[in-house]
Amino acid sequence: MFGWTGRVLRVNLGEKTWKIEPIRSEDARLFIGARGLGTKYYIDEVDPTVDPLSPENKLIFATGPLTGTLTTSSGRYDVITKGPLTGTIAASNSGGFWGPELKYAGFDMVILEGKAKAPVYIYIYNDMIEIRDARHLWGKDVHSVTDSLLTETDSEAKVACIGPAGENLVKFACIMNEKDRAAGRSGVGAVMGSKNLKAIVVRGTKGIKVADRDAVFQSVAAARKKLKEHPVTSGGLPTFGTNVLVGIINSAGALPTRNFREAIFEGADKVSAETYNEKNLIKNKGCMGCPIGCGRVAKSNGIYVGQGEGPEYESTWSFGPDCGIDDIDAIVKANFICNELGMDTITLGSTIACAMELYEMGVLTENETGYDLHFGNVNAMVKLTEDTAYRRGFGDELAEGSWRLAEKWGHPELSMTVKKQEMPAYDPRALQGMGLEYATSNRGGCHVRGYLTSPEVLGAPEKIDPEDNETKPVWLKAFQDLTAALDSAGMCLFTTFALGAADIAPQLAAVTGVDYTEESFMQAGDRIWNLERLFNMKAGLSKSDDTLPPRLLKDPIPNGPMKGRVNRLDSMLPQYYSLRGWNEEGIPTEEKLIELGLASYL
Amino acid sequence: MFGWTGRVLRVNLGEKTWKIEPIRSEDARLFIGARGLGTKYYIDEVDPTVDPLSPENKLIFATGPLTGTLTTSSGRYDVITKGPLTGTIAASNSGGFWGPELKYAGFDMVILEGKAKAPVYIYIYNDMIEIRDARHLWGKDVHSVTDSLLTETDSEAKVACIGPAGENLVKFACIMNEKDRAAGRSGVGAVMGSKNLKAIVVRGTKGIKVADRDAVFQSVAAARKKLKEHPVTSGGLPTFGTNVLVGIINSAGALPTRNFREAIFEGADKVSAETYNEKNLIKNKGCMGCPIGCGRVAKSNGIYVGQGEGPEYESTWSFGPDCGIDDIDAIVKANFICNELGMDTITLGSTIACAMELYEMGVLTENETGYDLHFGNVNAMVKLTEDTAYRRGFGDELAEGSWRLAEKWGHPELSMTVKKQEMPAYDPRALQGMGLEYATSNRGGCHVRGYLTSPEVLGAPEKIDPEDNETKPVWLKAFQDLTAALDSAGMCLFTTFALGAADIAPQLAAVTGVDYTEESFMQAGDRIWNLERLFNMKAGLSKSDDTLPPRLLKDPIPNGPMKGRVNRLDSMLPQYYSLRGWNEEGIPTEEKLIELGLASYL
């Protein structure tokens, strides 16, 4: 095989055994890799009603055929499991160098089964696999355990690990690699913690064979040229990182503020990319083989002094505008804490925002929270970030996410979630397409499952009206399918500002030797999307879960340029179902599943 | 630095010490690397009158800034020293994977000094350097010592070593890497043997930084496209290897036969690429990152049964037509023996041919040689190949090369050498430009110092008349400079069928970040050429060494399409000197040396 290494490592943590299996090559062709192929393996092996934190659940680390190759921005891998936060399929995507290193060790995927009796870590050095005692590492934060593991193994190894949050089964714990890169959402880190697995350390020194080297060079050179010419991938992202969006989204009247009560933030300038670049940025830092290099090494100042990476725009938003906070150093610090302790910034910030609204309503008081939790309380936000990872005090409630918190206190409508996962930093009342995207995302509230902000606000690949409802189902299906295929190939979503399937499929074909075309690549995305949908159906979800919090459907935006709007999901969902080849209940039709080769899942 | 690792490893074998030095970056810019930069270091450190086989001589393994990068066909390194065969500067070039591996270990060059008290080998694993006992490996052939070393060190390491020929100080012993790749000419393997150094084993796991990744992709994609479109690099070489030339050169009436007595060979069809492909070829085998892949894995059959790699055209010629032999299996077998015992095929075959002529003249008899040495005696040729490496019987005389052999027996005119090194497989009487090339080559008779066969016969980059004398000095200077710069960059000469300085300089600039242009790249070649010339002058060579054997200047070709021709060197040399900016004695002028920044060598 080309692109794929052709090998899967299967580890049984309970029995401390492992074996190497050949990859199922026909599945690889159809589901590509990473998110798609990992999900295919997962669904074929795990009961959809499994308790995510039980030993019966499995956890799959999966790379794509492009991961670690010279193709554009292909440093990605996915972690696939059932999410403890959502109860849906979870596929959390991360960049950096860990995924490439796994390929260089000769593996496309690592499948983890069972639960270790005591904490362990896995050390992979090419074909040498060891399951090692990790009791001395349990409790350590992400940065210190990474340093320890590099000393214990090989200084050039790559470490993916959990922090205290994963150990403590925080429902939105991440898996972190190279210290500050996160497979962030849905609680994949809690699943790793439930298996008593602290880390997977990988060192690989093998190559990846590609099918047609000349075609690789031609297609990659052409793609890099487009990335270099596009203002987002050559200008905005390298210069400002994703934080460039603070000003843009606020100006569009789509910046959720104080738990989505408002849609513009009076302190946006104080937390903008320009402010961050001036006060916090140290330097850029890219993932493997990426010509964009959007990552940021930064510091926080004053009483919130610290150093690390990030935050991304959505993290700036969650700890900032969504909590009514305009202190950039506190926001940067909270993000650092999340990296060090291993938590999803979007869910945590939004959960704190939800608690703040409950507090302002008087439902929660300082008796329960231990802090004055009015919107804008910087200190409480930073303290609770740390408390949550250790489930200290009120942090123990926050560790369950906003849906369980709001439901417990009698106001589930105040949880700004879809399928129990917190929506990021784009108000669906201002951006109709993003509303449909959140409502239909297979892993719940999420912006990277069909990022319609790109056409609705940024004008890539072209500008469309954010208020229009009619064209959004068509746009969304295309974006969802493209993203599913792209994630599965191992390439970064950020390439799609400049590249489309017509640029990516040739790279995939050149690397794998499989004749992926623009059409078959997009169809693979459709197939993966439907497979994820089928899992969720079998896990107990239904049409009623394809919705938004009532606030976004009923309460008009009170201020800013989009004042008065609500999201008109009802006018888009039927058309979306129809385009997808689903019936009125949102269930894939037999005809559709036969077309996609998924009939066996009927 | 980009492209260059910026580090040099210096090993003193006598003292068993080593140190790592930063590279001299200004010299790197001016002399590029590999052949050029290695020669610069060598000349600055070693007395030109040094005895090549004394401990005072040094031996430099040097890579170029492109070596090991993604640029086209950049798997090359050079071994620089004073050649024991020639007494000139020697820079023997080899491909494969050893050079790239040295870069990945973090070194541009290894400088070897002194002489070990007993046999040793050097093991480099990134920054770990060990000088290890090799007494148990002394006497082993190249294949078995390579296998032993991979077992003793790391199965993924790359081994450059000498065979028995190098140990026995055969004047044309090679240094072999990955068993069958040779730094072949001028006796660099004897220098290694004189230092009691059996091998350098390298394992590297670092990367090479490049200055402008986008420009690398663009320039490499463009160059690969040209290589794929050119009939020689996409058709002839991959399909037939260099053996494709047997038929072509024979048809041109330029195939030296029976020690250059004739210029067409009646048995050419029996040793042609077509015959070899049918009887001997197993598969192609390319060097690191090469889209051409001209290397051949082969077998020999019948009583000469064996398996290995090669031969190249010039080896087919030396053991075949030049010895009046048309047995392809015997030729392939002799080549395998040379690889296993570590000897230069061109010099050995030509030396046997010289002995055969002396035998046919009655100067040598079976008393001296131990074999019937009439032209065409297949068995004697194969046996003497092995005897030479071990200096057994008459092999001890052959081990000194044809010049010393012919001179000893009173007929130095029968040694087909320039500067005591045997000329390869192109008759200078048929190809005027190749005659000038041989006569002026800084390392003596050699076809890869300005391969005018390319325009004179193959029509690349355009067809020129092989009989013309007027344009050859201009062509040759350009080819010599281009080749010097190309070798120094670490790229393979074979790219130049399709690529020129305008294609290579952009790759070098993209990798290094130094603004090499077509002009400055060619000037670097001119600089390197003059530096080599200056060394030879200081070593005692003069204009009188810029000549050809009298046979080629006086005795007309007796048969074939070029019947009646001699080489008219005298009509080309003055113009060549003038173009080079040299005086009538062939000495670089002060003005020229100042122009090139070489005034300190006046």
Side-chain angles (χ1 to χ4, degrees), chain A residues 432 435-436 439-440 469 546-548 553 567-574:
Chain A
Q432 296 292 322
L436 183 63
T440 60
N469 291 111
D546 295 340
T547 189
L548 296 170
L553 300 171
N567 187 277
R568 303 187 302 280
L569 182 64
D570 286 350
S571 74
M572 299 183 282
L573 204 58

Side-chain angles (χ1 to χ4, degrees), chain A residues 266-389:
Chain A
E266 66 283 359
D269 284 352
K270 294 188 181 170
V271 300
S272 70
E274 292 79 3
T275 302
Y276 169 88
N277 271 17
E278 190 188 320
K279 292 184 67 174
N280 306 99
L281 178 65
I282 297 173
K283 63 174 182 179
N284 280 28
K285 181 179 176 184
C287 299
M288 187 264 167
C290 183
I292 306 170
C294 67
R296 335 290 286 172
V297 177
K299 63 184 168 66
S300 51
N301 309 288
I303 61 166
Y304 298 115
V305 67
Q307 188 162 333
E309 288 183 38
E312 300 299 325
Y313 162 62
E314 289 77 9
S315 314
T316 300
W317 161 80
S318 71
F319 293 124
D322 201 40
C323 289
I325 286 173
D326 63 6
D327 182 330
I328 187 69
D329 287 309
I331 293 166
V332 173
K333 179 69 177 181
N335 181 75
F336 290 165
I337 294 170
C338 283
N339 285 353
E340 286 158 11
L341 305 181
M343 284 181 294
D344 176 21
T345 54
I346 297 172
T347 285
L348 179 54
S350 181
T351 300
I352 294 172
C354 176
M356 285 176 163
E357 184 161 5
L358 290 167
Y359 188 96
E360 296 224 340
M361 288 167 66
V363 175
L364 288 173
T365 70
E366 208 164 328
N367 274 344
E368 289 86 32
T369 64
Y371 300 94
D372 170 356
L373 267 192
H374 283 99
F375 279 116
N377 190 330
V378 177
N379 211 34
M381 182 276 287
V382 176
K383 294 278 191 193
L384 281 171
T385 295
E386 189 171 305
D387 290 349
T388 300

Side-chain angles (χ1 to χ4, degrees), chain B residues 249-270:
Chain B
I249 302 300
N250 193 53
S251 298
L255 186 69
T257 298
R258 286 175 278 271
N259 204 37
F260 286 73
R261 291 203 307 205
E262 298 145 75
I264 57 166
F265 182 50
E266 67 283 359
D269 284 351
K270 293 188 182 171

Side-chain angles (χ1 to χ4, degrees), chain B residues 87-420:
Chain B
T88 67
I89 191 75
S92 282
N93 186 297
S94 182
F97 295 81
W98 191 91
E101 198 77 24
L102 185 67
K103 292 283 290 283
Y104 303 150
F107 297 102
D108 295 309
M109 298 202 279
V110 180
I111 301 175
L112 301 163
E113 306 176 338
K115 175 182 178 173
K117 290 175 188 68
V120 296
Y121 73 92
I122 299 171
Y123 179 35
I124 301 169
Y125 190 118
N126 295 332
D127 287 353
M128 185 215 75
I129 316 292
E130 292 182 9
I131 302 168
R132 293 185 175 183
D133 191 347
R135 281 174 295 184
H136 61 300
L137 303 169
W138 206 250
K140 282 198 175 191
D141 71 46
V142 169
H143 284 210
S144 64
V145 77
T146 300
D147 287 335
S148 295
L149 285 166
L150 294 180
T151 304
E152 283 184 24
T153 60
D154 185 312
S155 61
E156 295 185 76
K158 305 294 178 286
V159 176
C161 66
I162 54 169
E167 299 174 10
N168 296 327
L169 309 182
V170 172
K171 287 272 190 310
F172 45 89
C174 304
I175 296 170
M176 307 294 300
N177 55 284
E178 293 103 85
K179 296 185 175 175
D180 295 299
R181 291 271 149 198
R185 304 219 67 192
S186 311
V188 295
V191 176
M192 190 156 160
S194 78
K195 297 191 171 306
N196 268 329
L197 178 62
K198 182 69 177 174
I200 305 180
V201 184
V202 186
R203 178 75 181 115
T205 60
K206 303 180 183 181
I208 301 172
K209 285 183 183 157
V210 300
D212 184 339
R213 281 179 257 195
D214 286 299
V216 169
F217 272 95
Q218 304 298 339
S219 58
V220 173
R224 289 183 78 104
K225 188 159 182 287
K226 287 195 178 179
L227 289 168
K228 220 63 187 178
E229 286 168 359
H230 196 281
V232 172
T233 48
S234 77
L237 283 173
T239 309
F240 292 116
T242 54
N243 281 318
V244 70
L245 291 168
V246 173
I248 295 170
I249 302 300
N250 193 53
S251 298
L255 186 69
T257 298
R258 286 175 278 271
N259 204 37
F260 286 73
R261 291 203 307 205
E262 298 145 75
I264 57 166
F265 182 50
E266 67 283 359
D269 284 351
K270 293 188 182 171
V271 299
S272 69
E274 292 77 3
T275 303
Y276 170 87
N277 271 18
E278 190 188 319
K279 290 184 69 174
N280 305 99
L281 179 65
I282 296 173
K283 61 174 183 180
N284 281 28
K285 182 179 176 184
C287 299
M288 187 263 167
C290 182
I292 306 171
C294 67
R296 336 290 285 172
V297 177
K299 63 184 168 64
S300 50
N301 308 288
I303 61 166
Y304 298 115
V305 66
Q307 188 162 331
E309 287 183 36
E312 300 300 324
Y313 162 63
E314 289 76 11
S315 313
T316 300
W317 161 80
S318 71
F319 293 124
D322 201 39
C323 289
I325 285 173
D326 63 7
D327 183 331
I328 186 70
D329 288 309
I331 293 166
V332 173
K333 179 68 177 180
N335 181 75
F336 290 165
I337 294 170
C338 283
N339 285 351
E340 287 158 11
L341 305 181
M343 283 180 294
D344 175 22
T345 55
I346 298 172
T347 286
L348 179 54
S350 182
T351 300
I352 293 172
C354 176
M356 286 176 164
E357 184 161 5
L358 290 167
Y359 188 94
E360 298 223 341
M361 288 168 68
V363 175
L364 287 173
T365 70
E366 207 165 328
N367 273 344
E368 289 84 32
T369 64
Y371 299 94
D372 170 356
L373 267 192
H374 283 100
F375 279 116
N377 190 332
V378 176
N379 209 35
M381 182 274 287
V382 176
K383 293 278 190 195
L384 281 171
T385 295
E386 189 172 304
D387 289 348
T388 300
Y390 293 104
R391 288 184 175 273
R392 285 196 296 241
F394 186 60
D396 190 36
E397 294 197 35
L398 297 178
E400 297 293 303
S402 70
W403 192 86
R404 291 169 181 82
L405 174 75
E407 210 239 356
K408 173 181 173 184
W409 294 97
H411 289 278
E413 78 282 2
L414 295 186
S415 167
M416 293 298 111
T417 53
V418 173
K419 300 181 179 74
K420 302 180 185 157

